[in-house]
Amino acid sequence: MGKLKGKTAIVGIGEVPTGRYHERAAIVCAIESCRQAILDAGIKKDEIDFIIPTGSMYSSPYNTEMCTSRIVEELGLARKSTANFQVFSGGSSTGNILKTAAGLIATGLAKNVLCVHSDKLATGISAQGGIDLFSTAGISAEWEVPFGMHYSAIAALTMQRFMFETGTTAEQLASVCVSNRKWAELNPNAMHRKPITVEEVMASKMLSEPLHAKESNMLADGGSAFIITSAERARDLTDKPVYLLGEGSLVTHHVFSQDTDLTRLGFVEAGQAAYKEAGLTPEDMDIAELYDSYAVYQLIALEALGLCGRGESGEYVQSGHTWPGGELPMTTNGGMLSQGHTGAGGSFAILVETVRQLMGKAGERQVPGARFAIETSTGGTYMDSHAAIFGNIIP
Amino acid sequence: MDTSTKPLPSVNSWTKPFWQGVREEKLMIQKCTECGQPIFYPRMCCPFCFSDQIEWMEASGRGRIYTYTIVRSNAPSSFIADMPFVIAVVRLEEGVQMLSNIVDCEPTAVYCEMPVEVTFEKLSDEFTLPKFRPAQA
Protein backbone atom coordinates (compact mmCIF):
# COMPACT_ATOMS: atom_id res chain seq x y z
CA MET A 1 0.00 0.00 0.00
CA GLY A 2 1.37 3.37 -0.98
CA LYS A 3 1.50 6.49 1.11
CA LEU A 4 -1.79 7.91 -0.11
CA LYS A 5 -3.71 5.10 -1.79
CA GLY A 6 -7.33 5.13 -0.70
CA LYS A 7 -6.69 7.45 2.25
CA THR A 8 -8.41 10.51 0.81
CA ALA A 9 -11.40 11.14 -1.42
CA ILE A 10 -13.08 13.96 -3.25
CA VAL A 11 -16.67 14.38 -2.09
CA GLY A 12 -17.95 17.54 -3.72
CA ILE A 13 -17.46 19.52 -6.93
CA GLY A 14 -18.65 22.84 -8.26
CA GLU A 15 -18.25 24.61 -11.59
CA VAL A 16 -19.64 27.61 -13.45
CA PRO A 17 -19.99 27.63 -17.25
CA THR A 18 -16.82 28.60 -19.13
CA GLY A 19 -16.86 31.31 -21.77
CA ARG A 20 -16.88 35.07 -22.34
CA TYR A 21 -18.84 36.79 -19.56
CA HIS A 22 -18.14 40.53 -19.45
CA GLU A 23 -20.50 41.15 -16.53
CA ARG A 24 -19.45 38.18 -14.38
CA ALA A 25 -16.67 38.98 -11.89
CA ALA A 26 -14.01 36.38 -11.10
CA ILE A 27 -15.01 36.41 -7.43
CA VAL A 28 -18.57 35.45 -8.44
CA CYS A 29 -17.18 32.36 -10.21
CA ALA A 30 -15.13 31.48 -7.13
CA ILE A 31 -17.93 31.85 -4.59
CA GLU A 32 -20.51 30.11 -6.78
CA SER A 33 -18.13 27.16 -7.41
CA CYS A 34 -17.31 26.85 -3.70
CA ARG A 35 -20.97 26.98 -2.72
CA GLN A 36 -21.84 24.27 -5.26
CA ALA A 37 -18.99 22.07 -4.03
CA ILE A 38 -20.03 22.41 -0.38
CA LEU A 39 -23.68 21.66 -1.18
CA ASP A 40 -22.65 18.77 -3.45
CA ALA A 41 -20.58 17.26 -0.64
CA GLY A 42 -23.43 17.63 1.83
CA ILE A 43 -20.93 18.95 4.34
CA LYS A 44 -21.52 21.83 6.76
CA LYS A 45 -19.55 24.79 5.49
CA ASP A 46 -18.07 25.36 8.95
CA GLU A 47 -16.32 22.01 8.70
CA ILE A 48 -14.03 23.38 5.96
CA ASP A 49 -10.76 23.94 7.79
CA PHE A 50 -8.30 24.50 4.93
CA ILE A 51 -8.88 26.65 1.86
CA ILE A 52 -6.45 26.37 -1.05
CA PRO A 53 -7.09 28.90 -3.80
CA THR A 54 -4.83 28.47 -6.80
CA GLY A 55 -3.38 31.33 -8.83
CA SER A 56 -5.41 33.71 -10.96
CA MET A 57 -3.56 35.30 -13.88
CA TYR A 58 -5.74 38.07 -15.28
CA SER A 59 -5.35 40.40 -12.31
CA SER A 60 -2.62 40.64 -9.72
CA PRO A 61 -4.87 42.45 -7.17
CA TYR A 62 -7.52 39.73 -7.47
CA ASN A 63 -4.89 37.04 -7.06
CA THR A 64 -3.68 38.81 -3.92
CA GLU A 65 -7.24 38.83 -2.53
CA MET A 66 -7.42 35.06 -2.99
CA CYS A 67 -4.05 34.64 -1.26
CA THR A 68 -5.19 36.82 1.61
CA SER A 69 -8.28 34.84 2.61
CA ARG A 70 -11.08 36.60 0.74
CA ILE A 71 -12.83 33.27 0.16
CA VAL A 72 -12.65 32.47 3.87
CA GLU A 73 -14.50 35.65 4.74
CA GLU A 74 -16.98 35.50 1.84
CA LEU A 75 -18.02 31.99 2.91
CA GLY A 76 -18.36 33.00 6.57
CA LEU A 77 -15.41 30.91 7.68
CA ALA A 78 -13.45 33.61 9.52
CA ARG A 79 -12.38 32.36 12.98
CA LYS A 80 -13.36 28.86 11.86
CA SER A 81 -10.86 27.91 9.14
CA THR A 82 -7.32 27.05 10.15
CA ALA A 83 -5.44 28.00 7.00
CA ASN A 84 -5.75 29.73 3.63
CA PHE A 85 -2.81 29.62 1.25
CA GLN A 86 -2.12 29.43 -2.46
CA VAL A 87 -0.75 26.43 -4.34
CA PHE A 88 0.05 27.50 -7.88
CA SER A 89 2.16 26.06 -10.66
CA GLY A 90 0.18 27.19 -13.71
CA GLY A 91 -1.57 24.36 -15.52
CA SER A 92 -0.29 21.70 -13.12
CA SER A 93 -1.76 23.44 -10.07
CA THR A 94 -4.27 20.65 -9.48
CA GLY A 95 -1.49 18.06 -9.49
CA ASN A 96 0.31 19.97 -6.78
CA ILE A 97 -2.88 20.80 -4.86
CA LEU A 98 -3.74 17.08 -4.78
CA LYS A 99 -0.33 16.24 -3.30
CA THR A 100 -0.61 19.05 -0.77
CA ALA A 101 -4.20 18.49 0.31
CA ALA A 102 -4.02 14.69 0.37
CA GLY A 103 -0.76 14.84 2.33
CA LEU A 104 -2.26 17.25 4.88
CA ILE A 105 -5.32 15.03 5.32
CA ALA A 106 -3.35 11.78 5.50
CA THR A 107 -1.21 13.18 8.31
CA GLY A 108 -4.23 14.56 10.17
CA LEU A 109 -3.21 18.20 9.83
CA ALA A 110 -6.29 19.00 7.75
CA LYS A 111 -9.80 17.53 7.77
CA ASN A 112 -11.77 19.02 4.89
CA VAL A 113 -9.91 20.98 2.24
CA LEU A 114 -11.70 23.30 -0.19
CA CYS A 115 -9.71 23.94 -3.38
CA VAL A 116 -10.86 26.69 -5.72
CA HIS A 117 -9.94 28.42 -8.93
CA SER A 118 -11.38 31.30 -10.93
CA ASP A 119 -9.99 33.52 -13.66
CA LYS A 120 -11.10 35.93 -16.35
CA LEU A 121 -8.75 35.35 -19.27
CA ALA A 122 -11.36 36.01 -21.99
CA THR A 123 -12.83 39.33 -20.89
CA GLY A 124 -10.41 40.48 -18.17
CA ILE A 125 -7.58 41.12 -20.67
CA SER A 126 -7.40 42.10 -24.37
CA ALA A 127 -6.72 39.55 -27.12
CA GLN A 128 -3.20 40.88 -27.79
CA GLY A 129 -2.82 41.25 -24.02
CA GLY A 130 -3.45 37.52 -23.77
CA ILE A 131 -0.81 36.78 -26.40
CA ASP A 132 1.67 39.06 -24.67
CA LEU A 133 0.86 37.60 -21.23
CA PHE A 134 1.53 34.13 -22.57
CA SER A 135 4.70 35.23 -24.34
CA THR A 136 6.27 36.04 -20.99
CA ALA A 137 4.55 33.87 -18.37
CA GLY A 138 7.06 31.19 -17.46
CA ILE A 139 9.18 31.80 -20.57
CA SER A 140 12.81 32.66 -19.85
CA ALA A 141 13.37 36.40 -20.13
CA GLU A 142 17.08 35.82 -20.72
CA TRP A 143 17.17 32.77 -23.01
CA GLU A 144 13.86 32.66 -24.90
CA VAL A 145 11.78 35.85 -24.88
CA PRO A 146 14.39 37.71 -27.03
CA PHE A 147 13.81 35.14 -29.82
CA GLY A 148 10.05 35.71 -30.04
CA MET A 149 9.09 32.67 -28.00
CA HIS A 150 5.41 32.34 -26.97
CA TYR A 151 2.98 29.52 -26.17
CA SER A 152 1.78 28.74 -29.70
CA ALA A 153 5.43 28.32 -30.69
CA ILE A 154 6.06 26.08 -27.69
CA ALA A 155 3.20 23.79 -28.72
CA ALA A 156 4.36 23.86 -32.35
CA LEU A 157 7.96 22.97 -31.41
CA THR A 158 6.60 20.04 -29.40
CA MET A 159 4.31 18.89 -32.23
CA GLN A 160 7.07 19.10 -34.81
CA ARG A 161 9.41 16.78 -32.89
CA PHE A 162 6.54 14.46 -31.89
CA MET A 163 5.51 14.11 -35.54
CA PHE A 164 9.14 13.62 -36.60
CA GLU A 165 9.79 10.82 -34.10
CA THR A 166 6.44 9.03 -34.14
CA GLY A 167 5.18 9.57 -37.69
CA THR A 168 1.96 11.12 -36.39
CA THR A 169 0.19 13.06 -39.15
CA ALA A 170 -1.33 16.53 -39.16
CA GLU A 171 -4.78 15.00 -39.75
CA GLN A 172 -4.35 12.75 -36.72
CA LEU A 173 -3.47 15.74 -34.54
CA ALA A 174 -6.52 17.56 -35.88
CA SER A 175 -8.66 14.56 -35.00
CA VAL A 176 -7.87 15.14 -31.31
CA CYS A 177 -9.85 18.39 -31.53
CA VAL A 178 -12.75 16.47 -33.09
CA SER A 179 -12.70 13.95 -30.23
CA ASN A 180 -12.70 16.70 -27.61
CA ARG A 181 -15.48 18.57 -29.38
CA LYS A 182 -17.69 15.48 -29.51
CA TRP A 183 -17.56 15.46 -25.71
CA ALA A 184 -18.06 19.22 -25.43
CA GLU A 185 -21.24 18.90 -27.50
CA LEU A 186 -22.60 17.01 -24.48
CA ASN A 187 -21.25 19.46 -21.87
CA PRO A 188 -23.48 22.43 -20.98
CA ASN A 189 -20.53 24.15 -19.21
CA ALA A 190 -18.32 24.12 -22.33
CA MET A 191 -17.54 27.27 -24.31
CA HIS A 192 -17.54 25.67 -27.79
CA ARG A 193 -20.16 23.02 -28.51
CA LYS A 194 -20.71 23.13 -32.28
CA PRO A 195 -19.54 19.99 -34.11
CA ILE A 196 -16.18 20.34 -35.88
CA THR A 197 -14.42 18.27 -38.56
CA VAL A 198 -10.79 17.43 -39.27
CA GLU A 199 -11.12 19.48 -42.49
CA GLU A 200 -12.27 22.55 -40.54
CA VAL A 201 -9.36 22.23 -38.12
CA MET A 202 -6.90 21.84 -41.00
CA ALA A 203 -8.41 24.87 -42.77
CA SER A 204 -8.16 27.12 -39.71
CA LYS A 205 -5.46 29.79 -39.52
CA MET A 206 -1.87 28.56 -39.27
CA LEU A 207 -0.36 30.08 -36.10
CA SER A 208 3.10 28.54 -35.73
CA GLU A 209 3.59 25.62 -38.11
CA PRO A 210 2.32 22.92 -37.74
CA LEU A 211 -0.14 24.34 -35.17
CA HIS A 212 -3.55 25.49 -36.43
CA ALA A 213 -5.73 27.98 -34.58
CA LYS A 214 -8.36 25.34 -33.86
CA GLU A 215 -5.72 23.07 -32.30
CA SER A 216 -5.14 25.73 -29.64
CA ASN A 217 -6.96 26.30 -26.42
CA MET A 218 -9.40 29.19 -26.21
CA LEU A 219 -8.84 31.69 -23.40
CA ALA A 220 -11.93 31.83 -21.22
CA ASP A 221 -13.55 33.05 -18.01
CA GLY A 222 -14.53 30.39 -15.53
CA GLY A 223 -14.22 28.82 -12.13
CA SER A 224 -14.47 25.50 -10.34
CA ALA A 225 -13.91 23.98 -6.91
CA PHE A 226 -13.66 20.66 -5.15
CA ILE A 227 -13.55 19.33 -1.59
CA ILE A 228 -11.19 16.59 -0.51
CA THR A 229 -11.41 14.79 2.82
CA SER A 230 -10.39 11.55 4.53
CA ALA A 231 -11.73 8.27 3.16
CA GLU A 232 -13.58 7.63 6.44
CA ARG A 233 -15.32 11.00 6.42
CA ALA A 234 -16.06 10.57 2.72
CA ARG A 235 -17.93 7.32 3.37
CA ASP A 236 -20.11 9.13 5.95
CA LEU A 237 -20.96 11.83 3.44
CA THR A 238 -21.65 9.87 0.27
CA ASP A 239 -22.05 6.36 -1.08
CA LYS A 240 -19.76 7.23 -3.97
CA PRO A 241 -16.55 8.86 -2.76
CA VAL A 242 -13.93 9.30 -5.44
CA TYR A 243 -10.73 7.97 -3.94
CA LEU A 244 -7.26 9.13 -4.85
CA LEU A 245 -5.52 5.82 -5.58
CA GLY A 246 -2.13 6.91 -6.82
CA GLU A 247 -0.23 9.83 -8.20
CA GLY A 248 3.15 10.74 -9.56
CA SER A 249 4.96 13.62 -11.17
CA LEU A 250 8.29 14.78 -12.55
CA VAL A 251 9.71 18.24 -13.20
CA THR A 252 11.61 18.12 -16.49
CA HIS A 253 12.70 21.72 -17.07
CA HIS A 254 12.23 25.37 -16.33
CA VAL A 255 13.51 26.79 -19.62
CA PHE A 256 11.54 25.01 -22.37
CA SER A 257 14.51 24.56 -24.72
CA GLN A 258 16.36 22.60 -22.01
CA ASP A 259 13.92 19.66 -22.13
CA THR A 260 15.69 16.62 -23.53
CA ASP A 261 12.60 14.64 -24.61
CA LEU A 262 9.70 16.73 -25.80
CA THR A 263 7.93 13.65 -27.15
CA ARG A 264 7.40 12.16 -23.67
CA LEU A 265 8.02 15.01 -21.21
CA GLY A 266 7.81 13.47 -17.70
CA PHE A 267 4.68 11.41 -18.26
CA VAL A 268 6.44 8.03 -18.36
CA GLU A 269 7.78 8.48 -14.82
CA ALA A 270 4.61 10.18 -13.56
CA GLY A 271 2.43 7.37 -14.90
CA GLN A 272 4.65 4.58 -13.57
CA ALA A 273 4.54 6.06 -10.06
CA ALA A 274 0.76 6.49 -10.20
CA TYR A 275 0.08 2.95 -11.51
CA LYS A 276 2.46 1.46 -8.96
CA GLU A 277 0.80 3.17 -6.01
CA ALA A 278 -2.69 2.34 -7.26
CA GLY A 279 -1.73 -1.26 -8.04
CA LEU A 280 -3.36 -0.84 -11.44
CA THR A 281 -2.26 -0.95 -15.08
CA PRO A 282 -3.11 1.09 -18.16
CA GLU A 283 -5.58 -1.65 -19.18
CA ASP A 284 -7.58 -1.00 -15.98
CA MET A 285 -8.33 2.60 -16.92
CA ASP A 286 -11.94 3.23 -17.97
CA ILE A 287 -11.39 6.92 -18.77
CA ALA A 288 -8.35 9.07 -19.64
CA GLU A 289 -8.88 12.66 -18.53
CA LEU A 290 -5.84 14.16 -20.25
CA TYR A 291 -4.72 17.78 -20.05
CA ASP A 292 -5.02 19.37 -23.46
CA SER A 293 -3.97 23.00 -23.66
CA TYR A 294 -2.95 21.88 -27.18
CA ALA A 295 -3.87 18.65 -28.97
CA VAL A 296 -0.35 17.22 -28.95
CA TYR A 297 -0.24 16.95 -25.16
CA GLN A 298 -3.05 14.39 -25.16
CA LEU A 299 -1.20 12.22 -27.68
CA ILE A 300 2.03 12.50 -25.68
CA ALA A 301 0.18 11.42 -22.53
CA LEU A 302 -1.70 8.56 -24.26
CA GLU A 303 1.62 7.05 -25.33
CA ALA A 304 3.78 7.88 -22.31
CA LEU A 305 1.13 6.55 -19.91
CA GLY A 306 1.02 3.27 -21.82
CA LEU A 307 -2.59 3.75 -22.97
CA CYS A 308 -1.37 3.50 -26.59
CA GLY A 309 1.85 2.16 -28.11
CA ARG A 310 4.56 4.52 -29.35
CA GLY A 311 3.43 6.19 -32.55
CA GLU A 312 -0.07 4.69 -32.30
CA SER A 313 -2.00 7.41 -30.46
CA GLY A 314 -2.83 9.48 -33.53
CA GLU A 315 -4.45 6.60 -35.38
CA TYR A 316 -6.18 5.52 -32.17
CA VAL A 317 -7.88 8.90 -31.72
CA GLN A 318 -8.57 9.25 -35.45
CA SER A 319 -10.40 5.90 -35.35
CA GLY A 320 -12.86 7.21 -32.77
CA HIS A 321 -11.75 5.09 -29.81
CA THR A 322 -11.71 8.15 -27.52
CA TRP A 323 -15.14 9.49 -28.60
CA PRO A 324 -18.37 9.10 -26.65
CA GLY A 325 -19.13 5.38 -26.79
CA GLY A 326 -15.49 4.53 -27.59
CA GLU A 327 -13.33 2.07 -25.67
CA LEU A 328 -11.26 4.76 -23.91
CA PRO A 329 -13.24 7.99 -23.40
CA MET A 330 -10.74 10.86 -23.28
CA THR A 331 -11.00 14.37 -21.81
CA THR A 332 -14.76 14.05 -21.47
CA ASN A 333 -15.53 17.71 -20.66
CA GLY A 334 -14.11 18.74 -24.05
CA GLY A 335 -10.92 20.02 -22.43
CA MET A 336 -9.33 23.39 -22.92
CA LEU A 337 -9.70 22.98 -26.69
CA SER A 338 -13.49 23.12 -26.30
CA GLN A 339 -14.48 23.91 -22.73
CA GLY A 340 -11.92 26.72 -22.67
CA HIS A 341 -8.61 27.70 -21.05
CA THR A 342 -9.09 29.51 -17.77
CA GLY A 343 -5.44 29.46 -16.71
CA ALA A 344 -4.82 27.09 -13.80
CA GLY A 345 -8.52 26.29 -14.18
CA GLY A 346 -7.91 24.16 -17.26
CA SER A 347 -6.64 21.35 -15.08
CA PHE A 348 -9.16 22.15 -12.34
CA ALA A 349 -11.95 21.56 -14.87
CA ILE A 350 -10.39 18.26 -15.99
CA LEU A 351 -10.03 17.09 -12.38
CA VAL A 352 -13.60 18.12 -11.57
CA GLU A 353 -14.76 16.21 -14.67
CA THR A 354 -12.82 13.11 -13.55
CA VAL A 355 -14.66 13.20 -10.24
CA ARG A 356 -18.00 13.94 -11.90
CA GLN A 357 -17.64 10.86 -14.10
CA LEU A 358 -16.65 8.59 -11.22
CA MET A 359 -19.52 9.95 -9.11
CA GLY A 360 -21.88 9.07 -11.97
CA LYS A 361 -23.01 12.70 -12.31
CA ALA A 362 -21.89 13.41 -15.88
CA GLY A 363 -25.38 13.42 -17.38
CA GLU A 364 -25.54 12.88 -21.13
CA ARG A 365 -21.83 12.20 -21.36
CA GLN A 366 -21.66 9.74 -18.45
CA VAL A 367 -19.31 6.85 -19.17
CA PRO A 368 -21.36 3.82 -18.06
CA GLY A 369 -19.84 1.75 -15.27
CA ALA A 370 -16.62 3.76 -15.03
CA ARG A 371 -14.54 2.69 -12.03
CA PHE A 372 -11.03 3.99 -12.64
CA ALA A 373 -9.75 7.12 -14.39
CA ILE A 374 -6.30 8.55 -14.99
CA GLU A 375 -5.97 12.33 -14.99
CA THR A 376 -3.03 14.49 -16.08
CA SER A 377 -1.84 18.04 -15.81
CA THR A 378 1.25 19.99 -16.77
CA GLY A 379 2.30 23.53 -15.98
CA GLY A 380 4.34 26.48 -17.21
CA THR A 381 6.14 25.62 -20.43
CA TYR A 382 5.20 21.95 -19.79
CA MET A 383 7.83 22.00 -17.07
CA ASP A 384 6.24 19.21 -15.08
CA SER A 385 4.10 16.17 -15.79
CA HIS A 386 1.51 14.97 -13.27
CA ALA A 387 -0.63 11.84 -13.36
CA ALA A 388 -3.25 10.85 -10.82
CA ILE A 389 -5.46 7.77 -10.68
CA PHE A 390 -8.90 7.94 -9.11
CA GLY A 391 -11.47 5.24 -8.45
CA ASN A 392 -14.93 4.94 -6.93
CA ILE A 393 -13.72 1.71 -5.36
CA ILE A 394 -10.41 0.87 -3.68
CA PRO A 395 -8.91 -2.08 -5.59
CA MET B 1 14.42 42.04 -38.17
CA ASP B 2 13.31 45.35 -36.74
CA THR B 3 15.47 45.54 -33.61
CA SER B 4 14.34 48.84 -32.10
CA THR B 5 11.42 47.50 -30.05
CA LYS B 6 12.65 44.01 -29.29
CA PRO B 7 12.66 42.71 -25.71
CA LEU B 8 16.24 42.74 -24.42
CA PRO B 9 17.60 39.77 -22.47
CA SER B 10 17.22 40.10 -18.72
CA VAL B 11 20.80 39.30 -17.71
CA ASN B 12 21.92 37.52 -14.55
CA SER B 13 25.16 38.61 -12.86
CA TRP B 14 27.01 35.36 -13.58
CA THR B 15 25.95 35.12 -17.24
CA LYS B 16 27.67 38.34 -18.34
CA PRO B 17 30.59 36.52 -20.01
CA PHE B 18 28.08 34.91 -22.38
CA TRP B 19 26.63 38.27 -23.43
CA GLN B 20 30.09 39.82 -23.72
CA GLY B 21 31.11 36.83 -25.86
CA VAL B 22 28.27 37.16 -28.38
CA ARG B 23 28.98 40.89 -28.61
CA GLU B 24 32.45 39.80 -29.83
CA GLU B 25 30.85 37.14 -32.06
CA LYS B 26 31.95 34.23 -29.88
CA LEU B 27 29.48 31.63 -28.61
CA MET B 28 30.58 31.01 -25.03
CA ILE B 29 29.32 28.11 -22.95
CA GLN B 30 30.53 26.78 -19.61
CA LYS B 31 32.45 23.64 -18.71
CA CYS B 32 32.75 22.07 -15.28
CA THR B 33 36.43 21.62 -14.42
CA GLU B 34 35.61 18.78 -11.99
CA CYS B 35 33.27 16.52 -14.01
CA GLY B 36 34.08 17.90 -17.46
CA GLN B 37 30.46 18.38 -18.55
CA PRO B 38 29.60 21.24 -20.92
CA ILE B 39 26.88 23.51 -19.48
CA PHE B 40 24.30 25.80 -21.07
CA TYR B 41 22.56 28.03 -20.10
CA PRO B 42 25.19 29.41 -17.71
CA ARG B 43 24.83 28.32 -14.06
CA MET B 44 26.32 29.40 -10.77
CA CYS B 45 27.26 25.81 -10.04
CA CYS B 46 27.50 22.61 -12.09
CA PRO B 47 24.01 21.04 -12.52
CA PHE B 48 25.67 17.60 -12.85
CA CYS B 49 28.17 17.40 -9.95
CA PHE B 50 27.33 20.60 -8.01
CA SER B 51 30.89 21.92 -8.18
CA ASP B 52 31.37 25.68 -8.35
CA GLN B 53 34.59 25.24 -10.34
CA ILE B 54 33.21 26.25 -13.73
CA GLU B 55 35.14 27.75 -16.61
CA TRP B 56 34.08 29.38 -19.87
CA MET B 57 34.89 27.91 -23.26
CA GLU B 58 34.08 28.90 -26.82
CA ALA B 59 31.60 26.47 -28.40
CA SER B 60 32.06 25.11 -31.92
CA GLY B 61 28.91 26.95 -33.00
CA ARG B 62 27.87 23.86 -34.96
CA GLY B 63 24.82 21.77 -34.18
CA ARG B 64 21.58 20.27 -35.41
CA ILE B 65 18.00 21.39 -35.18
CA TYR B 66 16.17 19.33 -32.53
CA THR B 67 12.85 20.95 -33.42
CA TYR B 68 11.55 24.13 -35.07
CA THR B 69 8.47 26.11 -35.99
CA ILE B 70 7.63 28.77 -38.57
CA VAL B 71 5.73 31.55 -36.79
CA ARG B 72 3.05 32.76 -39.22
CA SER B 73 0.48 34.41 -36.95
CA ASN B 74 -0.22 35.54 -33.36
CA ALA B 75 3.38 36.46 -32.53
CA PRO B 76 4.19 38.65 -29.49
CA SER B 77 3.69 42.36 -30.33
CA SER B 78 7.29 43.25 -31.06
CA PHE B 79 7.72 40.29 -33.44
CA ILE B 80 4.60 40.76 -35.58
CA ALA B 81 6.53 42.66 -38.28
CA ASP B 82 9.03 39.78 -38.55
CA MET B 83 6.55 37.06 -39.51
CA PRO B 84 7.14 34.55 -40.94
CA PHE B 85 10.21 33.69 -38.85
CA VAL B 86 11.67 30.45 -37.52
CA ILE B 87 12.12 29.55 -33.85
CA ALA B 88 14.19 26.43 -33.21
CA VAL B 89 15.78 24.40 -30.44
CA VAL B 90 19.37 23.74 -31.50
CA ARG B 91 21.50 20.91 -30.09
CA LEU B 92 25.14 21.96 -30.27
CA GLU B 93 27.90 19.43 -30.98
CA GLU B 94 28.92 19.86 -27.33
CA GLY B 95 25.57 18.33 -26.33
CA VAL B 96 23.89 21.42 -24.89
CA GLN B 97 20.61 22.87 -26.17
CA MET B 98 19.53 26.46 -26.80
CA LEU B 99 16.61 28.34 -28.29
CA SER B 100 17.31 30.58 -31.26
CA ASN B 101 16.07 31.69 -34.66
CA ILE B 102 17.06 30.12 -37.98
CA VAL B 103 18.08 32.82 -40.46
CA ASP B 104 19.61 33.19 -43.93
CA CYS B 105 17.35 30.59 -45.52
CA GLU B 106 13.74 30.10 -46.60
CA PRO B 107 11.69 29.13 -43.52
CA THR B 108 10.22 26.20 -45.47
CA ALA B 109 13.73 24.79 -46.07
CA VAL B 110 14.21 24.06 -42.35
CA TYR B 111 13.84 20.49 -41.05
CA CYS B 112 14.44 18.41 -37.90
CA GLU B 113 18.11 17.33 -37.58
CA MET B 114 19.22 19.95 -40.12
CA PRO B 115 22.92 20.85 -39.58
CA VAL B 116 23.31 24.51 -38.62
CA GLU B 117 26.02 26.95 -37.55
CA VAL B 118 25.98 30.06 -35.42
CA THR B 119 25.79 33.58 -36.81
CA PHE B 120 25.38 36.81 -34.86
CA GLU B 121 22.68 39.48 -35.02
CA LYS B 122 23.21 42.82 -33.34
CA LEU B 123 20.18 43.92 -31.34
CA SER B 124 21.61 47.07 -29.74
CA ASP B 125 25.01 48.45 -28.73
CA GLU B 126 24.81 46.28 -25.64
CA PHE B 127 23.19 43.13 -27.02
CA THR B 128 23.89 40.70 -29.83
CA LEU B 129 21.89 37.49 -30.22
CA PRO B 130 23.32 34.16 -31.40
CA LYS B 131 21.26 32.93 -34.37
CA PHE B 132 21.77 29.89 -36.57
CA ARG B 133 21.88 29.37 -40.32
CA PRO B 134 22.23 26.25 -42.49
CA ALA B 135 25.76 24.85 -42.09
CA GLN B 136 28.07 25.81 -44.96
CA ALA B 137 29.57 22.76 -46.65
Side-chain angles (χ1 to χ4, degrees), chain A residues 66-105:
Chain A
M66 298 295 273
C67 291
T68 52
S69 303
R70 181 165 179 190
I71 287 292
V72 173
E73 204 159 85
E74 295 283 0
L75 297 180
L77 297 174
R79 296 199 167 269
K80 296 185 175 98
S81 290
T82 313
N84 177 101
F85 57 87
Q86 183 172 71
V87 173
F88 183 49
S89 54
S92 63
S93 296
T94 47
N96 285 314
I97 284 176
L98 274 178
K99 286 182 193 297
T100 308
L104 287 166
I105 293 164

Side-chain angles (χ1 to χ4, degrees), chain A residues 192-204:
Chain A
H192 296 288
R193 303 184 60 197
K194 277 195 281 188
I196 195 171
T197 63
V198 166
E199 293 70 30
E200 284 167 329
V201 175
M202 298 290 289
S204 66

Side-chain angles (χ1 to χ4, degrees), chain B residues 11-37:
Chain B
V11 176
N12 285 294
S13 55
W14 66 91
T15 64
K16 285 176 184 168
F18 173 84
W19 295 106
Q20 185 182 333
V22 282
R23 212 157 44 231
E24 296 162 7
E25 304 209 336
K26 290 180 184 164
L27 184 64
M28 304 300 289
I29 64 173
Q30 293 173 310
K31 185 178 180 180
C32 176
T33 62
E34 288 196 21
C35 73
Q37 287 273 7

Side-chain angles (χ1 to χ4, degrees), chain A residues 54-58 88-93 117-122 133-134 217-222 291 293 336 340-349 378:
Chain A
T54 191
S56 187
M57 297 178 74
Y58 91 99
F88 183 49
S89 54
S92 63
S93 296
H117 166 267
S118 68
D119 215 324
K120 204 166 164 59
L121 292 178
L133 170 67
F134 284 100
N217 61 76
M218 311 294 287
L219 291 179
D221 307 334
Y291 186 89
S293 48
M336 298 157 86
H341 182 345
T342 59
S347 66
F348 250 77
T378 162

